[in-house]
Amino acid sequence: MLTLTENAAQAIRDLTATAPEPSQSGIRISSQGEGASSLTLTLATAPEPADAVVEAGGARVYLDPVAATVLDDKALDAGADDQGSVSFLVTEQTA
């Protein structure tokens, strides 16, 4: 199952703090098209019916079935640039 770093959890909490339903809001990672060659990250107010839900540190990530399979053994990290723009990075899980 996908894991979240503390940086990623904080970034997600920051992004969803002003959402209409912050208690259920999170980010959703979904596949584009037929394959797993491209994943998209969007803000979501709730999971879709088939989504897997990852919760860590008060942050929620919703994964569509393809994304859940692709990211099963990965970790999600986050960072910000000098202008404060957040970027997410998928890395290998550490032991």
Side-chain angles (χ1 to χ4, degrees):
M1 180 65 73
L2 178 73
T3 60
L4 305 179
T5 67
E6 182 53 41
N7 288 341
Q10 181 63 53
I12 294 166
R13 286 193 305 269
D14 291 347
L15 288 170
T16 59
T18 59
E21 292 290 331
S23 65
Q24 290 297 310
S25 294
I27 61 169
R28 183 166 192 267
I29 302 175
S30 56
S31 58
Q32 290 292 97
E34 290 298 311
S37 60
S38 179
L39 297 175
T40 302
L41 186 146
T42 56
L43 288 174
T45 55
E48 296 292 325
D51 285 353
V53 178
V54 176
E55 292 189 66
R60 282 164 299 287
V61 177
Y62 306 126
L63 303 168
D64 81 359
V66 172
T69 300
V70 171
L71 300 174
D72 185 51
D73 61 347
K74 305 293 185 212
L76 186 66
D77 196 7
D81 63 18
D82 294 338
Q83 288 76 40
S85 295
V86 175
S87 61
F88 288 94
L89 175 68
V90 174
T91 63
E92 297 297 323
Q93 287 183 0
T94 56

